[in-house]
Amino acid sequence: MSVLISRRKQRPSSASAALQSHNNYQQITIDDMRPATSISTSRSHRSYNRNYQSPVTSKTRTQHNNAINGWTSIAPLETNSRAQQRRVTLSTLHDVSKSTATISRPRSAVSSKIKLEEYINLDHLHILKSAFDANATKGRILTKKEFISIFGSLAGLQGNNNEQIELLFMKIDSCCNDYISWNEFCTYMQLEYAEKEDAYLHGKEVAFSVPAITSSTPHREQFLRILNTSDNNFVIMSQDGMITFWGPDLKLKRSRQITHDVTKSKSKWITDFTLMPQYNKIVTATGDREIQFYEMSTFEAYCQISGLDSVPLKIDYWGSRSSDTCYVLYGDVQGCINVIQIASAGETLRTWKKSPKSDGIASVNLEREVARSSNIRFTRWKVHNDWVGQLNYYESIQSVISCSNDDTNALVIGSLQSSTKVDSQLREVYFSVNNRPRPQQSNYIMGSQPKRRSDSDQTVFKIYKGVKTFDFSKQKNLIVTGGMDRIIRTWNPYVANKPTGMLRGHNAPINYLKISSDEGRVFSVSTDKTIRIWDLQDHTCLHIVRPKAHKIRGDIQVAHYNAQNRTIAIATDLLASMTLKCKTVVVDMATSHKEAITAIKYNSSFKQIVTASDGSVVRVWDIETGNLLFEFTQAHGTSAITAIMFDSSGRRLITGGRDGCLRIWNYNNGHCLRILKKDGRNQEISDIAYYTQNKNKHIVCVGWDKRINIYNDNPGDFRYVQPPMPYWADDTLNGHRDDILSVTACSPNLLATSSYNGKVIVWNLVSGHVFCRLQVPCNDSQYKSGEQNAISKIAFLAARINDKLSAMLISNGPNGFIYFWNIYNGGSIYASFKATDFDEIVAIAANSENTRLFTADIKGFVGVWDITTYAAGGKEYMPPDVLCSWRAHTQNITSIDLIEYQDAIATASTDCTMRLWTYDGKYIGTFGQQESWDIYDSTTYQSPMVPYDVLVDPQSLPNHPVLNEKKDMIEIAHKNSIAKAEKKKLEANSDSQVQHSDSISHQLIIYEKQRSSDVDQFPLY
């Protein structure tokens, strides 16, 4: 097994000054072919580690480049075992929007999302080179103003505003020098074109799962054909009449011997079969010159057509879905094409069923009952000079295509209906004027020599050594043929003189071809058991499966490709199948990556948001539409990316990975500018910060090495691999003793780090000394016994940094708590509150005014808190007001970032999606969804809908008394009526008590009177 796609051994770091023009094209990536990322070090006792649930032809290079425009997308594929170089992609993904609809935007926004560099041609490059050469005394450089002026005057680019040209200048000038050189311009453009071509080829990669799945069969004779039913089961028949039904997993479901003549010693010899799904019938052609119909459910003989002129070899069927009309077609040993057109198929079959039986089956004669029936039209054409090898009827062109091994009539496309009289008269005039011999034609008489079609009714393809197999696609307007000469030819069905392409590579005769129009591929099988997949766009071989790979024993007899489940079935002595490697596409949920997203960061300079995944993939998205703009893969080889950060200019991206390295990128073209790493063993990086101090720029990273690594960011440093600056003495002696999980910087001179053991240290960036130490209160009663105290996220409230009486640092903590810290006077907790009902808050962010706090938890819930005055003048003992909350994902949220100019928040999760929301929880959309949005037009938002996975998840249900208090549903439904009944009962009880009280009082009065009377009558002495 191999993939015939060339790859560069290493990525160029610069480009030559000489550039060639490339045709512009857009690329759709298939990133399932990437190798899996390396497995991280096992640290099961640490919850923060990463508990993610990641889900050749003779064409010239010019022809190849020209073919690139407008190619269609291919379904995503699984990982290939080969190690691959890093690739870059420009444009949208398979499940990502391909819409090019114009979106109305404010004047301040970039009006066109098509990259300006896509319009540059060779003439433009010559003009630009001349402009750079004119500044030879300055070093062949152009300033921003000069570049905008010259670029804006180029032919065909005048319609682009200066803002677009300025953005292009910023992309090239990643070092913020305010000028660019000719070499820098060439490097950027060379990487743009070279990487797009590499990504284009990568996107076409495809592979079968090998070795093949095999199963023994009850068949003892040669297989005739493999068909698939509507439920993706395979149907196979052999020459002895044995028919079997197989599931997609090659489990035998049914088998039956359908033909057996009781008057003879052995069964009839079957030559071919097909299915009539509308009438639940099986149609077979026999060596006794019969066409037989069987019930598909019971395999019982239904009827047969006997008395055919010759032995039928190949049979086909077509049935109308709107009317009771069908065609039964067969090709015979005389090279004739026979068509039985049945107008009332159901009634006709029932009539045939009542015919006299012959050999135990109802039989009708072709000449007496069939050809002369009012509901049937029988046509017989002499088409080939050799046996018919294959025939198929295509309703889309209302023609029959057949083939044979004869050179002169190798492939014929013939109409079912004869041409009109006008066509015949024009033909007569043509032959008379040109004095050419007329083809011999005669009316068909049963048993006589069959007539030939008029030349106007057929198209004849003359192919060397004939055709053994073919396939036709109306969608692609294409015919492919193969035969004994081992060459696959592609044809325009209306041009028979010359093929449009020739695919060479097979070393044995080709016996099966199949066009997969939706995938843009051709599948071919040769007699030496080699299977090839070809690309229709470029006419290149994408994949080869050789016998040593699929391990199918025996000679190939028949093959069949099922496009619905992307499985090819091959019958030799055994039955075998192979399935294309592909990932199941969940139509209910759009995804932004194929792996868990680990970090996101918004770039306000370009209005783009960058995502990084567990698969070491970096993607650049347009925040205004949600479309994918750019992608580069294997940024850290096979190691996952764990953190990302922009430099102060927003033109360079800094990524950190599990390999312990930092890489600086011009992320607009995927050019790695520098690698930052320590000498010796490197451990996983957890977080990155960037700060500027006295015009000196520094990059800070922390991780599992328990140290603060600071790198000097000097664009003038010529070293490609740069080590960190020396450690602070206080960091070495008094720093963290456990893994550092988060770092954040705040102007002018503060840096904060947090670790797994619940400690936060605030540092003075000038001296490198500890400013204060903060510790989560481990003994507080709010914590569970043995609960981990890891603080994985911290953030400064920059607007409060000069207010010594306020809390200016926020962190998460165990059990879903949020802490507000004051860092002065040794540091203290100003407030703490539980922000989630679940175990952990995993992401926090505050807006620039420090009026809102955004939190995200491990179950995908997002909360927005009003912190305008919270802990601003002293300690707080109550939580802040909740402005709103909603569920954004069903899995762990890994990162959030704010798009403040639009009051929006982006959330990323291990469910492979990044979603955009408004501050009040309205769902804008998922990056990578089919429909683009316009961030300036709320009518294009997905709201009031919510993501499907969130909608159906039980934990998304709101609070309900039945769930919370375990009340009976009937009690909830009749709450009002029950309340009224109880009220009446209370009132009735009250009245009864009053009446009872009056009765008792009356009885007491009577008793007292009676007692007084008794005392008078019987006085006591």
Side-chain angles (χ1 to χ4, degrees), residues 42-69:
S42 176
R43 305 180 62 150
S44 59
H45 67 289
R46 309 237 164 156
S47 61
Y48 72 91
N49 269 351
R50 204 136 274 105
N51 298 326
Y52 301 144
Q53 302 173 0
S54 299
V56 197
T57 66
S58 57
K59 276 199 167 189
T60 63
R61 171 58 62 181
T62 302
Q63 289 173 319
H64 167 74
N65 288 337
N66 290 336
I68 288 174
N69 288 307

PDB file of all heavy atoms in Angstrom, residues 42-69:
ATOM      1  N   SER A  42       1.721   9.895  31.945  1.00  0.00           N
ATOM      2  CA  SER A  42       0.607   9.510  32.814  1.00  0.00           C
ATOM      3  C   SER A  42       0.768  10.127  34.186  1.00  0.00           C
ATOM      4  O   SER A  42       1.734   9.891  34.881  1.00  0.00           O
ATOM      5  CB  SER A  42       0.561   7.974  32.919  1.00  0.00           C
ATOM      6  OG  SER A  42      -0.440   7.598  33.820  1.00  0.00           O
ATOM      7  N   ARG A  43      -0.208  10.968  34.558  1.00  0.00           N
ATOM      8  CA  ARG A  43      -0.209  11.566  35.889  1.00  0.00           C
ATOM      9  C   ARG A  43      -1.633  11.530  36.380  1.00  0.00           C
ATOM     10  O   ARG A  43      -2.314  12.528  36.450  1.00  0.00           O
ATOM     11  CB  ARG A  43       0.334  12.986  35.847  1.00  0.00           C
ATOM     12  CG  ARG A  43       1.724  13.055  35.220  1.00  0.00           C
ATOM     13  CD  ARG A  43       2.229  14.462  35.181  1.00  0.00           C
ATOM     14  NE  ARG A  43       2.354  15.016  36.515  1.00  0.00           N
ATOM     15  CZ  ARG A  43       3.249  15.928  36.853  1.00  0.00           C
ATOM     16  NH1 ARG A  43       4.098  16.358  35.965  1.00  0.00           N
ATOM     17  NH2 ARG A  43       3.287  16.411  38.067  1.00  0.00           N
ATOM     18  N   SER A  44      -2.102  10.343  36.659  1.00  0.00           N
ATOM     19  CA  SER A  44      -3.503  10.158  36.969  1.00  0.00           C
ATOM     20  C   SER A  44      -3.922  10.892  38.227  1.00  0.00           C
ATOM     21  O   SER A  44      -5.086  11.217  38.412  1.00  0.00           O
ATOM     22  CB  SER A  44      -3.811   8.665  37.119  1.00  0.00           C
ATOM     23  OG  SER A  44      -3.024   8.112  38.142  1.00  0.00           O
ATOM     24  N   HIS A  45      -2.973  11.181  39.141  1.00  0.00           N
ATOM     25  CA  HIS A  45      -3.349  11.828  40.385  1.00  0.00           C
ATOM     26  C   HIS A  45      -3.511  13.322  40.208  1.00  0.00           C
ATOM     27  O   HIS A  45      -3.833  14.019  41.159  1.00  0.00           O
ATOM     28  CB  HIS A  45      -2.292  11.546  41.441  1.00  0.00           C
ATOM     29  CG  HIS A  45      -0.959  12.182  41.142  1.00  0.00           C
ATOM     30  ND1 HIS A  45      -0.131  11.737  40.134  1.00  0.00           N
ATOM     31  CD2 HIS A  45      -0.315  13.227  41.723  1.00  0.00           C
ATOM     32  CE1 HIS A  45       0.977  12.475  40.115  1.00  0.00           C
ATOM     33  NE2 HIS A  45       0.884  13.385  41.055  1.00  0.00           N
ATOM     34  N   ARG A  46      -3.312  13.831  38.995  1.00  0.00           N
ATOM     35  CA  ARG A  46      -3.446  15.256  38.758  1.00  0.00           C
ATOM     36  C   ARG A  46      -4.584  15.501  37.788  1.00  0.00           C
ATOM     37  O   ARG A  46      -4.517  15.140  36.631  1.00  0.00           O
ATOM     38  CB  ARG A  46      -2.145  15.810  38.172  1.00  0.00           C
ATOM     39  CG  ARG A  46      -0.956  15.393  39.034  1.00  0.00           C
ATOM     40  CD  ARG A  46      -0.208  16.593  39.495  1.00  0.00           C
ATOM     41  NE  ARG A  46       0.670  16.252  40.595  1.00  0.00           N
ATOM     42  CZ  ARG A  46       1.740  16.942  40.883  1.00  0.00           C
ATOM     43  NH1 ARG A  46       2.048  17.981  40.160  1.00  0.00           N
ATOM     44  NH2 ARG A  46       2.478  16.616  41.905  1.00  0.00           N
ATOM     45  N   SER A  47      -5.613  16.135  38.259  1.00  0.00           N
ATOM     46  CA  SER A  47      -6.816  16.278  37.455  1.00  0.00           C
ATOM     47  C   SER A  47      -6.644  17.267  36.329  1.00  0.00           C
ATOM     48  O   SER A  47      -7.364  17.247  35.362  1.00  0.00           O
ATOM     49  CB  SER A  47      -7.980  16.741  38.338  1.00  0.00           C
ATOM     50  OG  SER A  47      -7.690  18.002  38.907  1.00  0.00           O
ATOM     51  N   TYR A  48      -5.661  18.148  36.468  1.00  0.00           N
ATOM     52  CA  TYR A  48      -5.534  19.194  35.458  1.00  0.00           C
ATOM     53  C   TYR A  48      -4.767  18.753  34.248  1.00  0.00           C
ATOM     54  O   TYR A  48      -4.688  19.466  33.257  1.00  0.00           O
ATOM     55  CB  TYR A  48      -4.794  20.408  36.051  1.00  0.00           C
ATOM     56  CG  TYR A  48      -3.320  20.142  36.269  1.00  0.00           C
ATOM     57  CD1 TYR A  48      -2.377  20.417  35.292  1.00  0.00           C
ATOM     58  CD2 TYR A  48      -2.896  19.578  37.469  1.00  0.00           C
ATOM     59  CE1 TYR A  48      -1.051  20.153  35.504  1.00  0.00           C
ATOM     60  CE2 TYR A  48      -1.562  19.312  37.666  1.00  0.00           C
ATOM     61  CZ  TYR A  48      -0.635  19.609  36.686  1.00  0.00           C
ATOM     62  OH  TYR A  48       0.666  19.339  36.877  1.00  0.00           O
ATOM     63  N   ASN A  49      -4.173  17.547  34.258  1.00  0.00           N
ATOM     64  CA  ASN A  49      -3.232  17.162  33.209  1.00  0.00           C
ATOM     65  C   ASN A  49      -3.790  17.416  31.834  1.00  0.00           C
ATOM     66  O   ASN A  49      -3.338  18.257  31.112  1.00  0.00           O
ATOM     67  CB  ASN A  49      -2.860  15.681  33.340  1.00  0.00           C
ATOM     68  CG  ASN A  49      -1.650  15.515  34.204  1.00  0.00           C
ATOM     69  OD1 ASN A  49      -1.034  16.500  34.543  1.00  0.00           O
ATOM     70  ND2 ASN A  49      -1.337  14.298  34.554  1.00  0.00           N
ATOM     71  N   ARG A  50      -4.730  16.576  31.450  1.00  0.00           N
ATOM     72  CA  ARG A  50      -5.382  16.789  30.181  1.00  0.00           C
ATOM     73  C   ARG A  50      -6.432  15.735  30.045  1.00  0.00           C
ATOM     74  O   ARG A  50      -6.308  14.813  29.270  1.00  0.00           O
ATOM     75  CB  ARG A  50      -4.385  16.730  29.024  1.00  0.00           C
ATOM     76  CG  ARG A  50      -4.845  17.473  27.816  1.00  0.00           C
ATOM     77  CD  ARG A  50      -3.766  18.309  27.199  1.00  0.00           C
ATOM     78  NE  ARG A  50      -3.673  19.606  27.806  1.00  0.00           N
ATOM     79  CZ  ARG A  50      -2.716  19.948  28.642  1.00  0.00           C
ATOM     80  NH1 ARG A  50      -1.788  19.120  28.942  1.00  0.00           N
ATOM     81  NH2 ARG A  50      -2.694  21.159  29.156  1.00  0.00           N
ATOM     82  N   ASN A  51      -7.467  15.823  30.826  1.00  0.00           N
ATOM     83  CA  ASN A  51      -8.489  14.771  30.820  1.00  0.00           C
ATOM     84  C   ASN A  51      -9.448  15.016  29.676  1.00  0.00           C
ATOM     85  O   ASN A  51     -10.643  15.128  29.863  1.00  0.00           O
ATOM     86  CB  ASN A  51      -9.243  14.762  32.156  1.00  0.00           C
ATOM     87  CG  ASN A  51      -8.312  14.449  33.306  1.00  0.00           C
ATOM     88  OD1 ASN A  51      -7.374  13.688  33.142  1.00  0.00           O
ATOM     89  ND2 ASN A  51      -8.563  15.028  34.458  1.00  0.00           N
ATOM     90  N   TYR A  52      -8.908  15.150  28.493  1.00  0.00           N
ATOM     91  CA  TYR A  52      -9.740  15.426  27.330  1.00  0.00           C
ATOM     92  C   TYR A  52     -10.289  14.134  26.777  1.00  0.00           C
ATOM     93  O   TYR A  52      -9.618  13.122  26.782  1.00  0.00           O
ATOM     94  CB  TYR A  52      -8.944  16.145  26.237  1.00  0.00           C
ATOM     95  CG  TYR A  52      -8.357  17.452  26.664  1.00  0.00           C
ATOM     96  CD1 TYR A  52      -7.115  17.853  26.193  1.00  0.00           C
ATOM     97  CD2 TYR A  52      -9.042  18.277  27.555  1.00  0.00           C
ATOM     98  CE1 TYR A  52      -6.572  19.055  26.593  1.00  0.00           C
ATOM     99  CE2 TYR A  52      -8.491  19.485  27.951  1.00  0.00           C
ATOM    100  CZ  TYR A  52      -7.266  19.867  27.466  1.00  0.00           C
ATOM    101  OH  TYR A  52      -6.738  21.042  27.854  1.00  0.00           O
ATOM    102  N   GLN A  53     -11.474  14.211  26.209  1.00  0.00           N
ATOM    103  CA  GLN A  53     -12.075  13.056  25.532  1.00  0.00           C
ATOM    104  C   GLN A  53     -12.051  13.356  24.034  1.00  0.00           C
ATOM    105  O   GLN A  53     -13.071  13.707  23.471  1.00  0.00           O
ATOM    106  CB  GLN A  53     -13.497  12.829  26.053  1.00  0.00           C
ATOM    107  CG  GLN A  53     -13.530  12.600  27.560  1.00  0.00           C
ATOM    108  CD  GLN A  53     -14.925  12.558  28.092  1.00  0.00           C
ATOM    109  OE1 GLN A  53     -15.886  12.706  27.342  1.00  0.00           O
ATOM    110  NE2 GLN A  53     -15.057  12.368  29.379  1.00  0.00           N
ATOM    111  N   SER A  54     -10.859  13.314  23.446  1.00  0.00           N
ATOM    112  CA  SER A  54     -10.708  13.725  22.062  1.00  0.00           C
ATOM    113  C   SER A  54     -11.467  12.814  21.067  1.00  0.00           C
ATOM    114  O   SER A  54     -11.319  11.623  21.176  1.00  0.00           O
ATOM    115  CB  SER A  54      -9.235  13.664  21.671  1.00  0.00           C
ATOM    116  OG  SER A  54      -8.497  14.533  22.470  1.00  0.00           O
ATOM    117  N   PRO A  55     -12.378  13.291  21.274  1.00  0.00           N
ATOM    118  CA  PRO A  55     -12.976  12.485  20.283  1.00  0.00           C
ATOM    119  C   PRO A  55     -11.967  12.117  19.162  1.00  0.00           C
ATOM    120  O   PRO A  55     -10.917  12.247  19.390  1.00  0.00           O
ATOM    121  CB  PRO A  55     -14.012  13.454  19.775  1.00  0.00           C
ATOM    122  CG  PRO A  55     -13.516  14.839  20.265  1.00  0.00           C
ATOM    123  CD  PRO A  55     -12.621  14.553  21.352  1.00  0.00           C
ATOM    124  N   VAL A  56      -0.733   7.832 -12.781  1.00  0.00           N
ATOM    125  CA  VAL A  56      -0.079   8.961 -12.858  1.00  0.00           C
ATOM    126  C   VAL A  56      -0.010   9.067 -14.343  1.00  0.00           C
ATOM    127  O   VAL A  56       0.176   8.118 -15.062  1.00  0.00           O
ATOM    128  CB  VAL A  56       1.098   8.567 -12.046  1.00  0.00           C
ATOM    129  CG1 VAL A  56       1.898   9.650 -11.573  1.00  0.00           C
ATOM    130  CG2 VAL A  56       0.547   7.667 -10.925  1.00  0.00           C
ATOM    131  N   THR A  57      -0.507  10.149 -14.437  1.00  0.00           N
ATOM    132  CA  THR A  57      -0.717  10.311 -15.864  1.00  0.00           C
ATOM    133  C   THR A  57       0.375  11.163 -16.466  1.00  0.00           C
ATOM    134  O   THR A  57       1.303  11.597 -15.791  1.00  0.00           O
ATOM    135  CB  THR A  57      -2.063  10.993 -16.109  1.00  0.00           C
ATOM    136  OG1 THR A  57      -1.984  12.314 -15.601  1.00  0.00           O
ATOM    137  CG2 THR A  57      -3.185  10.251 -15.398  1.00  0.00           C
ATOM    138  N   SER A  58       0.205  11.442 -17.768  1.00  0.00           N
ATOM    139  CA  SER A  58       1.185  12.265 -18.463  1.00  0.00           C
ATOM    140  C   SER A  58       0.832  13.725 -18.406  1.00  0.00           C
ATOM    141  O   SER A  58       1.356  14.514 -19.168  1.00  0.00           O
ATOM    142  CB  SER A  58       1.280  11.810 -19.926  1.00  0.00           C
ATOM    143  OG  SER A  58       0.001  11.879 -20.530  1.00  0.00           O
ATOM    144  N   LYS A  59      -0.038  14.117 -17.513  1.00  0.00           N
ATOM    145  CA  LYS A  59      -0.416  15.528 -17.415  1.00  0.00           C
ATOM    146  C   LYS A  59       0.770  16.355 -16.980  1.00  0.00           C
ATOM    147  O   LYS A  59       1.544  15.977 -16.112  1.00  0.00           O
ATOM    148  CB  LYS A  59      -1.556  15.707 -16.415  1.00  0.00           C
ATOM    149  CG  LYS A  59      -2.919  15.453 -17.018  1.00  0.00           C
ATOM    150  CD  LYS A  59      -3.954  16.087 -16.141  1.00  0.00           C
ATOM    151  CE  LYS A  59      -5.273  16.130 -16.873  1.00  0.00           C
ATOM    152  NZ  LYS A  59      -6.265  16.909 -16.196  1.00  0.00           N
ATOM    153  N   THR A  60       0.884  17.521 -17.540  1.00  0.00           N
ATOM    154  CA  THR A  60       1.969  18.415 -17.171  1.00  0.00           C
ATOM    155  C   THR A  60       1.608  19.155 -15.906  1.00  0.00           C
ATOM    156  O   THR A  60       0.479  19.165 -15.469  1.00  0.00           O
ATOM    157  CB  THR A  60       2.216  19.423 -18.307  1.00  0.00           C
ATOM    158  OG1 THR A  60       1.033  20.206 -18.465  1.00  0.00           O
ATOM    159  CG2 THR A  60       2.512  18.719 -19.618  1.00  0.00           C
ATOM    160  N   ARG A  61       2.620  19.800 -15.315  1.00  0.00           N
ATOM    161  CA  ARG A  61       2.386  20.572 -14.096  1.00  0.00           C
ATOM    162  C   ARG A  61       1.420  21.713 -14.365  1.00  0.00           C
ATOM    163  O   ARG A  61       0.588  22.049 -13.531  1.00  0.00           O
ATOM    164  CB  ARG A  61       3.727  21.107 -13.573  1.00  0.00           C
ATOM    165  CG  ARG A  61       3.583  22.114 -12.428  1.00  0.00           C
ATOM    166  CD  ARG A  61       2.841  21.527 -11.260  1.00  0.00           C
ATOM    167  NE  ARG A  61       3.524  20.402 -10.687  1.00  0.00           N
ATOM    168  CZ  ARG A  61       3.063  19.721  -9.681  1.00  0.00           C
ATOM    169  NH1 ARG A  61       1.897  20.006  -9.159  1.00  0.00           N
ATOM    170  NH2 ARG A  61       3.746  18.691  -9.197  1.00  0.00           N
ATOM    171  N   THR A  62       1.474  22.286 -15.565  1.00  0.00           N
ATOM    172  CA  THR A  62       0.539  23.364 -15.882  1.00  0.00           C
ATOM    173  C   THR A  62      -0.881  22.856 -15.890  1.00  0.00           C
ATOM    174  O   THR A  62      -1.796  23.497 -15.375  1.00  0.00           O
ATOM    175  CB  THR A  62       0.889  23.966 -17.264  1.00  0.00           C
ATOM    176  OG1 THR A  62       2.231  24.428 -17.219  1.00  0.00           O
ATOM    177  CG2 THR A  62      -0.059  25.114 -17.605  1.00  0.00           C
ATOM    178  N   GLN A  63      -1.078  21.677 -16.480  1.00  0.00           N
ATOM    179  CA  GLN A  63      -2.421  21.102 -16.471  1.00  0.00           C
ATOM    180  C   GLN A  63      -2.869  20.812 -15.056  1.00  0.00           C
ATOM    181  O   GLN A  63      -4.026  21.009 -14.714  1.00  0.00           O
ATOM    182  CB  GLN A  63      -2.425  19.814 -17.295  1.00  0.00           C
ATOM    183  CG  GLN A  63      -2.288  20.064 -18.799  1.00  0.00           C
ATOM    184  CD  GLN A  63      -2.126  18.765 -19.559  1.00  0.00           C
ATOM    185  OE1 GLN A  63      -1.422  17.867 -19.129  1.00  0.00           O
ATOM    186  NE2 GLN A  63      -2.770  18.678 -20.700  1.00  0.00           N
ATOM    187  N   HIS A  64      -1.926  20.364 -14.237  1.00  0.00           N
ATOM    188  CA  HIS A  64      -2.302  20.071 -12.841  1.00  0.00           C
ATOM    189  C   HIS A  64      -2.750  21.339 -12.127  1.00  0.00           C
ATOM    190  O   HIS A  64      -3.756  21.356 -11.442  1.00  0.00           O
ATOM    191  CB  HIS A  64      -1.106  19.461 -12.130  1.00  0.00           C
ATOM    192  CG  HIS A  64      -1.287  19.410 -10.644  1.00  0.00           C
ATOM    193  ND1 HIS A  64      -2.137  18.504 -10.038  1.00  0.00           N
ATOM    194  CD2 HIS A  64      -0.746  20.163  -9.652  1.00  0.00           C
ATOM    195  CE1 HIS A  64      -2.103  18.684  -8.741  1.00  0.00           C
ATOM    196  NE2 HIS A  64      -1.268  19.692  -8.480  1.00  0.00           N
ATOM    197  N   ASN A  65      -2.003  22.409 -12.307  1.00  0.00           N
ATOM    198  CA  ASN A  65      -2.372  23.659 -11.640  1.00  0.00           C
ATOM    199  C   ASN A  65      -3.694  24.192 -12.155  1.00  0.00           C
ATOM    200  O   ASN A  65      -4.500  24.718 -11.399  1.00  0.00           O
ATOM    201  CB  ASN A  65      -1.280  24.703 -11.844  1.00  0.00           C
ATOM    202  CG  ASN A  65      -0.031  24.393 -11.034  1.00  0.00           C
ATOM    203  OD1 ASN A  65      -0.115  23.691 -10.035  1.00  0.00           O
ATOM    204  ND2 ASN A  65       1.113  24.900 -11.449  1.00  0.00           N
ATOM    205  N   ASN A  66      -3.906  24.038 -13.464  1.00  0.00           N
ATOM    206  CA  ASN A  66      -5.172  24.510 -14.012  1.00  0.00           C
ATOM    207  C   ASN A  66      -6.337  23.688 -13.494  1.00  0.00           C
ATOM    208  O   ASN A  66      -7.454  24.181 -13.368  1.00  0.00           O
ATOM    209  CB  ASN A  66      -5.151  24.436 -15.540  1.00  0.00           C
ATOM    210  CG  ASN A  66      -4.215  25.481 -16.143  1.00  0.00           C
ATOM    211  OD1 ASN A  66      -3.949  26.494 -15.502  1.00  0.00           O
ATOM    212  ND2 ASN A  66      -3.723  25.233 -17.343  1.00  0.00           N
ATOM    213  N   ALA A  67      -6.071  22.427 -13.207  1.00  0.00           N
ATOM    214  CA  ALA A  67      -7.147  21.552 -12.725  1.00  0.00           C
ATOM    215  C   ALA A  67      -7.509  21.817 -11.285  1.00  0.00           C
ATOM    216  O   ALA A  67      -8.512  21.348 -10.793  1.00  0.00           O
ATOM    217  CB  ALA A  67      -6.726  20.087 -12.886  1.00  0.00           C
ATOM    218  N   ILE A  68      -6.661  22.586 -10.599  1.00  0.00           N
ATOM    219  CA  ILE A  68      -6.892  22.794  -9.179  1.00  0.00           C
ATOM    220  C   ILE A  68      -8.115  23.655  -8.929  1.00  0.00           C
ATOM    221  O   ILE A  68      -8.817  23.484  -7.955  1.00  0.00           O
ATOM    222  CB  ILE A  68      -5.632  23.420  -8.541  1.00  0.00           C
ATOM    223  CG1 ILE A  68      -4.531  22.375  -8.474  1.00  0.00           C
ATOM    224  CG2 ILE A  68      -5.916  23.972  -7.173  1.00  0.00           C
ATOM    225  CD1 ILE A  68      -3.221  22.918  -7.990  1.00  0.00           C
ATOM    226  N   ASN A  69      -8.395  24.587  -9.825  1.00  0.00           N
ATOM    227  CA  ASN A  69      -9.510  25.499  -9.588  1.00  0.00           C
ATOM    228  C   ASN A  69     -10.826  24.756  -9.529  1.00  0.00           C
ATOM    229  O   ASN A  69     -11.161  23.964 -10.386  1.00  0.00           O
ATOM    230  CB  ASN A  69      -9.586  26.538 -10.717  1.00  0.00           C
ATOM    231  CG  ASN A  69      -8.474  27.545 -10.623  1.00  0.00           C
ATOM    232  OD1 ASN A  69      -8.281  28.158  -9.579  1.00  0.00           O
ATOM    233  ND2 ASN A  69      -7.733  27.716 -11.710  1.00  0.00           N
TER     234      ASN A  69
END
